């Protein structure tokens, strides 16, 4: 047996005010509903704020306000008799208020992400051409308008247009919401007759669009399945557009063949096409706007995606209607933040169509297009497509447009991350513009986008040369040293890595850079200064003088100890490797205790390939000089470490180890035998493994005859380039990993 429940409702009157546009009073009140159990105990309660509109049709300049006030209080139980005087005052105000010219309007905003500083929104929808009507709608006549929906198409258009007038006033939406007959009739007419009249379809969708501008009404639209119907309508209209295009092309070809006879036919067809196009784009705009509002719900958006909304939107990019394009690109931008939608855009010609909109005279369309391109530029393939379709020079030109500069720079920054495209910037006027922006900052911090973009571009040799033209390098050095800006120094460091004229320009600044290396300076700034100096592999540079004048040897030694920041230690090692090319500097290092410190560091960082490779490269440079070679061979176990690393999984480490050991073997007989024995042992184990794997035929002769002959084969123990010139000219490029950094891709995106 089911328990007996009771519903208790309490109504509490609230404030009274005048309606902003109509001759009416607005009464606020509160309804409290409580469900009581069998014993009268409350089980569930809910409180809701409501309002009632009291329309005063008879109110005019001759109305007796006192009588009307008493009548309102008597008939409306929500107004307490004690508020009679207040009602009189409000009625007096209404009687004397000037009639507003405006009728009120529904001006919903586009449901865009709220993270952006500047939001580009489609212009608010207004009554379209052909939808005007002389008659003024009245909410009290709604039943008459619904009756028109059961007549022929012209009457249906008139009835829906009058209902649209009401729906455009937000105050009427709640009242329309409760009129299920009207909404049901509108949904039925749209479902049955949308193919018969574009005006009718546009008007009815517009009515539901007014509801869609407010999230609390989305359930109503879902209930009548208006979203799915709009998707079908958009798809159908896009197919019609394709047919129109084909027909126009046929008539155009015929016109070319028979100019005189078919000229009028072609002109007539084109005029008809333009008229149809205007109406169709009105319909598309209101339908897509409604769908965009509904897409606030991710589940609804997913349903749209499953029905190919991305393809429909991209096809619509062929249009020339700026307002429609702003809406379509805004919709695509909203969709692009999801991976699946972005992948859908990548599979079709989205970038090609967006490229045709850059640049354009419509400022809002240009801005929202750039924001969409920025979202898509996080994808490597789409960045490549942007370059292929010629967006690079177009975006560069926009750096001179103050309102679009920042967003264009962010896209260009993403393109510059890819090494394949860095060189292309040299063939635009991008770099001179960036240099100008850098110097215009004065002493203010440089924007992260700007300096990151410059750092990436400086990693290309031709770009670096352009940056150094005139007084470019001088200005960069002056600003960097004055502000102690590590990012600006990173840009300078990338410039310094390139051989040729740019590198030789740094000779004038070696002293300035060396002076920054000390314990009192910012560590990040010191790292970049060290990296820049380490890049200066210039034969005519007197490194001994630099080390002595700025007392750098103690600093280098002190920062080789474990516990120092890894980035700083690595730059110190690279710096030692560069300076060790000089014989006199090598002698200074031999006496300073730096070599044992490097051995300890090698032991501590043996799992880090970059550290290992750089330290081994330092040994490689040092074994060319007698002073450091004697310390390495006679006072340390460095050769033993090198022998262990001779078969490292890293090819670059193996290569530099082999070259270093070859030189050691030439100068020290004892270590030479050990190295030869290890190489033989390694070769022998490899040879035996090869024999087992191949399962050699018994009759097949051995590869090299008797084992005793192996010791007579020096090519097994020394590489072809075993004796390396003392100038170190063949140093592998890898060993100088200080040759520039590329700033990783950052999220300068919009949501």
């Amino acid at each position: 047996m089911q328990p007996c429940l009771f519903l208790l409702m309490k109504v509490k009157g609230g404030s009274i005010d005048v309606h902003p546009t109509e001759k009416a009073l607005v009464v606020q009140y509160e309804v409290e509903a409580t469900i009581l159990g069998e014993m009268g105990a409350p089980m569930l309660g809910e409180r809701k704020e409501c309002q009632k509109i009291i329309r005063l049709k008879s109110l005019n300049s001759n109305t007796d306000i006192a009588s009307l006030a008493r009548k309102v209080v008597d008939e409306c139980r929500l107004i307490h008799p004690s508020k009679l005087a207040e009602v009189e005052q409000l009625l007096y105000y209404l009687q004397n208020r000037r009639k507003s010219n405006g009728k009120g309007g529904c001006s919903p905003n586009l449901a865009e992400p709220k993270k952006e500083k500047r939001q580009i929104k489609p212009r608010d929808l207004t009554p379209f051409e052909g939808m005007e009507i002389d008659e003024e709608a009245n909410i009290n006549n709604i039943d008459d308008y619904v009756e028109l929906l059961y007549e022929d198409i012209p009457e249906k258009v008139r009835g829906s247009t009058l209902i649209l007038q009401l729906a455009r006033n937000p105050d009427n939406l709640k009242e329309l919401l409760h009129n299920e007959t009207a909404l049901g009739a509108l949904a039925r007419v749209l479902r049955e007759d949308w193919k018969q009249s574009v005006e009718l379809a546009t008007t009815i969708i517009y009515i539901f669009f007014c509801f869609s501008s407010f999230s609390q009404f989305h359930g109503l639209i879902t209930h009548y399945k208006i979203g799915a119907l709009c998707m079908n309508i958009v798809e159908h209209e896009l197919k019609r557009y394709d047919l129109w295009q084909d027909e126009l092309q046929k008539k155009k070809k015929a016109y070319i063949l028979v100019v005189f006879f078919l000229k009028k036919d072609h002109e007539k067809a084109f005029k008809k096409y333009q008229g149809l196009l205007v109406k169709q784009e009105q319909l598309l705009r209101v339908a897509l706007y409604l769908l965009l509002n509904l897409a606030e719900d991710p589940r609804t958006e997913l349903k749209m995606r499953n029905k190919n909304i991305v393809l429909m939107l991209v096809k619509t990019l062929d249009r020339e209607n700026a307002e429609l394009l702003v809406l379509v690109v805004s919709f695509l931008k909203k969709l692009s933040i999801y991976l699946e939608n972005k992948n859908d855009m990548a599979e079709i010609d989205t970038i090609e169509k967006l490229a045709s909109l850059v640049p354009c005279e419509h400022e809002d369309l240009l801005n929202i297009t750039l924001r969409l391109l920025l979202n898509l530029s996080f994808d490597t393939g789409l960045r490549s497509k942007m370059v292929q379709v010629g967006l690079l020079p177009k975006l560069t030109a926009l750096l001179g447009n103050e309102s679009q500069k920042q967003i264009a720079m962010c896209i260009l920054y993403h393109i510059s991350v890819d090494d394949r495209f860095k060189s292309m910037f040299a063939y635009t006027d991008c770099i001179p513009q960036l240099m100008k922006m850098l110097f215009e900052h004065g002493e203010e911090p440089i924007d992260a986008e700007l300096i990151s973009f410059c750092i990436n571009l400086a990693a290309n040799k031709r770009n670096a040369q352009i940056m150094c033209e005139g007084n470019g390098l001088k200005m960069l050095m002056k600003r960097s040293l004055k502000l102690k800006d590590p990012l600006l120094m990173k840009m300078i460091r990338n410039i310094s890595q390139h051989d040729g004229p740019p590198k030789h320009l740094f000779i004038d600044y070696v002293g300035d850079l060396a002076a920054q290396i000390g314990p009192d300076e910012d560590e990040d700034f010191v790292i970049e200064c060290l990296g820049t100096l380490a890049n200066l592999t210039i034969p005519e540079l007197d490194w001994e003088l630099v080390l002595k004048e700025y007392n750098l040897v103690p600093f280098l030694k002190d920062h080789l100890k474990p516990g120092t920041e890894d980035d700083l230690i690595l730059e110190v090692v690279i710096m030692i490797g560069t300076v060790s090319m000089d014989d006199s500097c090598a002698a200074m290092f031999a006496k300073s205790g730096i070599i044992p410190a490097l051995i300890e560091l090698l032991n501590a960082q043996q799992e880090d390939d970059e550290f290992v490779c750089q330290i081994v490269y330092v040994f490689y440079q040092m074994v060319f000089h007698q002073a450091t070679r004697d310390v390495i061979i006679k006072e340390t176990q460095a050769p033993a470490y090198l022998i262990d690393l001779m078969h490292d999984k890293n090819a670059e480490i193996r290569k530099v180890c082999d070259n270093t050991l070859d030189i050691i073997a030439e100068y020290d007989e004892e270590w030479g035998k050990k190295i030869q024995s290890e190489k033989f042992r390694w070769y022998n184990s490899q040879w035996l493994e090869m024999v087992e794997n191949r399962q050699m035929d018994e009759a097949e002769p051995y590869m090299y005859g008797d084992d005793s002959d192996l010791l007579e084969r020096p090519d097994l123990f020394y590489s072809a380039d075993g004796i390396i010139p003392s100038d170190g000219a063949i140093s592998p490029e890898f060993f100088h990993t200080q040759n520039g950094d590329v700033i990783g891709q950052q999220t300068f995106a919009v949501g």
Side-chain angles (χ1 to χ4, degrees):
M1 181 176 178
Q2 299 235 355
C4 185
L5 302 178
F6 302 93
L7 177 64
L8 177 64
M9 294 188 67
K10 293 181 181 179
V11 179
K12 182 180 178 182
S15 62
I16 310 170
D17 204 350
V18 297
H19 195 282
T21 58
E22 297 183 23
K23 289 190 291 185
L25 296 176
V26 180
V27 181
Q28 307 290 342
Y29 64 97
E30 188 180 87
V31 178
E32 183 178 351
T34 307
I35 297 177
L36 305 177
E38 290 187 48
M39 305 300 295
M43 297 177 61
L44 185 65
E46 185 177 355
R47 182 176 297 172
K48 188 176 181 181
E49 292 183 354
C50 307
Q51 71 175 25
K52 178 177 178 61
I53 299 175
I54 304 173
R55 290 181 171 80
L56 307 162
K57 299 179 185 178
S58 61
L59 180 63
N60 55 50
S61 57
N62 300 318
T63 302
D64 182 353
I65 296 299
S67 300
L68 182 59
R70 282 194 297 273
K71 183 178 180 182
V72 169
V73 172
D74 291 342
E75 293 184 3
C76 183
R77 290 183 293 175
L78 296 172
I79 303 176
H80 195 271
S82 63
K83 292 190 175 184
L84 178 61
E86 182 181 349
V87 173
E88 282 188 26
Q89 288 182 345
L90 294 173
L91 292 176
Y92 181 79
Y93 170 79
L94 282 173
Q95 187 181 42
N96 293 279
R97 182 174 68 178
R98 290 184 181 180
K99 187 175 181 181
S100 173
N101 291 328
K103 299 176 184 178
C106 176
S107 301
N109 290 330
L110 172 62
E112 274 285 291
K114 297 180 181 178
K115 296 180 181 178
E116 301 168 8
K117 295 179 182 177
R118 177 177 179 237
Q119 301 231 3
I120 304 301
K121 304 174 183 177
R123 187 166 57 86
D124 293 335
L125 290 171
T126 53
F128 294 117
E129 182 183 350
M131 293 169 56
E132 302 89 350
I133 191 169
D134 294 333
E135 189 176 349
E136 185 173 348
N138 188 314
I139 191 68
N140 297 313
N141 299 331
I142 183 67
D143 293 339
D144 296 336
Y145 307 150
V146 173
E147 288 295 326
L148 293 172
L149 298 178
Y150 294 90
E151 304 295 333
D152 293 332
I153 294 297
E155 284 74 20
K156 288 178 179 176
V157 172
R158 177 169 165 263
S160 59
T161 304
L162 288 166
I163 296 173
L164 175 59
Q165 271 191 32
L166 299 173
R168 282 179 52 76
N169 185 342
D171 293 330
N172 293 327
L173 290 179
K174 280 192 176 180
E175 200 158 336
L176 288 172
L177 178 68
H178 297 301
N179 195 326
E180 294 184 9
T181 304
L183 295 176
L186 288 167
R188 177 187 58 77
V189 171
L190 179 63
R191 189 165 50 252
E192 295 175 357
D193 298 331
W194 66 266
K195 287 185 180 180
Q196 298 184 43
S197 170
V198 174
E199 291 88 349
L200 180 62
T202 305
T203 305
I204 296 178
I205 293 174
Y206 201 154
I207 294 168
F208 285 103
F209 161 75
C210 293
F211 285 98
S212 76
S213 301
F214 303 94
S215 301
Q216 60 265 41
F217 297 140
H218 285 186
L220 161 79
I221 300 168
T222 303
H223 172 72
Y224 288 108
K225 299 181 180 179
I226 301 301
L229 189 53
C230 282
M231 291 283 292
N232 294 337
I233 292 171
V234 170
E235 185 178 17
H236 175 80
E237 292 300 324
L238 291 175
K239 288 178 181 177
R240 285 181 69 194
Y241 177 78
D242 291 339
L243 291 173
W244 294 345
Q245 291 288 331
D246 292 341
E247 186 137 352
L248 267 182
Q249 287 300 320
K250 290 176 184 176
K251 290 185 180 293
K252 189 175 181 180
K253 289 177 182 177
Y255 166 64
I256 293 170
L257 292 173
V258 191
V259 178
F260 181 76
F261 295 104
L262 295 180
K263 181 178 180 181
K264 289 186 177 180
D265 187 28
H266 175 263
E267 289 176 351
K268 184 179 178 182
F270 185 70
K271 191 172 182 181
K272 179 182 177 183
Y273 161 77
Q274 287 181 313
L276 291 171
L277 192 62
V278 169
K279 292 181 179 180
Q280 186 189 66
E281 288 179 348
Q282 291 172 355
L283 174 59
L284 288 175
R285 189 170 168 226
V286 70
L288 290 174
Y289 213 152
L290 183 146
L291 291 171
L292 177 57
N293 286 348
L294 295 181
E296 286 180 0
D297 185 346
R299 294 170 298 180
T300 305
E301 185 177 305
L302 180 60
K303 291 178 182 178
M304 294 181 192
R305 189 244 168 188
N306 293 336
K307 290 194 172 186
N308 254 342
I309 185 66
V310 172
L311 179 61
M312 294 181 195
L313 291 169
V314 172
K315 287 182 70 175
T316 314
L317 290 174
D318 293 328
R319 308 302 177 102
E320 297 178 1
N321 185 312
E323 296 298 336
L324 176 61
L325 288 173
V326 169
L327 173 62
V328 170
V329 179
S330 300
F331 206 155
L332 285 170
K333 175 179 165 292
K334 182 183 186 304
L335 294 170
S336 68
I337 63 175
Y338 293 102
L339 178 66
E340 296 82 1
N341 295 330
K342 184 268 298 178
N343 291 340
D344 288 346
M345 294 179 203
E347 292 175 3
I348 50 184
D349 53 351
T350 309
I351 298 297
E352 290 88 336
K353 294 191 176 184
L354 291 174
S356 65
L357 301 177
V358 180
C360 66
E361 295 180 1
H362 197 287
E363 200 72 10
D364 285 347
L365 176 58
L366 176 59
N367 191 275
I368 197 66
T369 302
L370 291 176
R371 290 175 181 275
L372 172 56
L373 286 170
L374 177 59
N375 282 4
L376 298 178
S377 69
F378 284 88
D379 183 278
T380 307
L382 290 174
R383 283 202 303 271
S384 178
K385 186 68 70 70
M386 290 177 195
V387 175
Q388 290 173 20
V389 300
L391 269 174
L392 191 60
K394 291 182 177 183
L395 293 168
T396 299
L398 289 174
L399 293 176
N401 183 331
E402 197 60 36
S403 58
Q404 313 296 351
K405 176 175 68 176
Q406 197 72 8
I407 192 77
M409 187 185 300
C410 291
I411 302 170
L412 289 169
Y413 161 75
H414 282 172
I415 294 174
S416 74
V417 170
D418 198 318
D419 289 336
R420 295 175 297 165
F421 307 133
K422 286 185 174 68
S423 60
M424 295 184 181
F425 288 89
Y427 301 99
T428 69
D429 64 342
C430 180
I431 296 172
Q433 290 191 71
L434 295 179
M435 296 294 284
K436 183 182 177 183
M437 291 179 204
L438 281 177
F439 300 140
E440 284 176 349
H441 268 77
E443 296 188 5
E444 297 177 6
I446 303 173
D447 295 338
E449 299 92 333
L450 174 58
I451 190 60
S452 301
F453 188 18
C454 292
I455 289 169
N456 285 356
L457 293 182
N460 176 267
K461 184 174 181 178
R462 178 61 186 135
N463 293 339
Q465 290 174 344
I466 297 173
M467 290 172 178
C468 293
E469 287 177 356
N471 291 323
L473 182 59
K474 180 180 178 181
M475 297 289 288
L476 287 172
M477 286 296 304
K478 182 179 178 181
R479 179 183 172 86
S480 180
L481 294 172
K482 182 178 181 181
L483 302 179
K484 309 288 186 182
D485 188 337
L487 289 177
L488 193 55
M489 185 54 71
K490 185 181 283 289
M491 175 186 172
I492 294 169
R493 173 181 171 181
N494 276 4
I495 294 173
S496 71
Q497 71 179 321
H498 305 293
D499 293 327
K503 185 170 288 190
H504 284 79
L505 292 174
F506 281 87
I507 293 178
D508 296 336
Y509 306 106
V510 170
D512 294 325
L513 290 166
Q516 308 304 313
I517 298 172
D520 299 330
E521 298 292 342
D522 176 67
E523 190 173 278
D524 291 336
F525 188 67
V526 171
I527 288 173
E528 300 306 330
C529 290
L530 271 173
T532 305
L533 285 172
N535 280 339
L536 304 183
T537 51
I538 306 171
E540 55 265 33
L541 191 57
D542 189 346
W543 280 114
E544 182 186 14
L545 181 63
V546 175
L547 292 179
K548 287 181 177 178
E549 185 172 344
Y550 296 97
N551 196 28
L552 293 182
V553 174
F555 177 88
L556 297 175
K557 180 184 175 184
D558 291 343
H559 288 82
L560 283 175
K561 298 173 183 176
T564 308
E565 181 68 32
D566 280 358
D567 289 343
L568 182 56
I569 298 176
L570 186 60
E571 295 305 328
V572 168
V573 172
I574 295 170
M575 178 70 178
I576 294 171
T578 299
V579 176
S580 295
M581 296 178 185
D582 188 288
D583 191 67
S584 53
C585 291
M588 292 173 65
F589 289 150
K591 299 172 185 176
S592 66
I594 279 181
I595 296 174
L598 286 169
I599 298 291
E600 290 181 26
L601 185 62
L602 179 62
N603 190 43
Q605 299 283 358
Q606 56 186 313
E607 299 300 323
D608 191 318
D609 281 3
E610 189 170 10
F611 264 102
V612 172
C613 193
Q614 294 297 344
I615 295 170
V616 173
Y617 178 69
V618 173
F619 293 150
Y620 167 74
Q621 290 292 352
M622 287 183 169
V623 294
F624 286 113
H625 313 290
Q626 184 176 352
T628 45
R629 185 168 60 243
D630 289 344
V631 174
I632 290 172
I633 293 174
K634 297 176 182 177
E635 299 180 18
T636 72
Q637 288 298 308
Y641 277 104
L642 295 174
I643 289 172
D644 288 341
L645 293 169
M646 199 164 50
H647 312 303
D648 192 88
K649 60 184 179 181
N650 188 302
E652 297 296 339
I653 294 176
R654 293 199 305 271
K655 183 177 180 181
V656 73
C657 278
D658 284 343
N659 291 334
T660 309
L661 290 170
D662 287 348
I663 299 170
I664 292 173
E666 287 293 318
Y667 286 97
D668 188 280
E669 185 178 348
E670 183 179 348
W671 276 113
K673 289 179 180 178
K674 291 179 181 178
I675 294 166
Q676 185 182 38
S677 174
E678 173 59 24
K679 287 195 174 187
F680 170 73
R681 186 196 65 77
W682 175 257
Y683 170 79
N684 199 39
S685 65
Q686 294 294 307
W687 185 80
L688 289 172
E689 184 179 343
M690 179 191 69
V691 171
E692 291 174 3
N693 290 340
R694 289 181 60 184
Q695 297 179 344
M696 296 176 64
D697 187 69
E698 291 181 0
E700 185 176 348
Y702 289 112
M703 196 175 295
Y704 293 114
D706 294 336
D707 288 351
S708 59
D709 295 335
L710 291 172
L711 296 176
E712 304 302 321
R713 294 184 55 81
D715 59 300
L716 299 180
F717 313 123
Y718 300 98
S719 61
D721 56 350
I723 306 302
I724 301 174
S726 60
D727 61 2
I730 65 162
S731 305
E733 183 181 348
F734 176 85
F735 303 147
H736 276 274
T737 54
Q738 75 271 29
N739 288 358
D741 298 0
V742 175
I743 297 294
Q745 185 168 316
Q746 300 176 12
T747 55
F748 299 117
V750 286

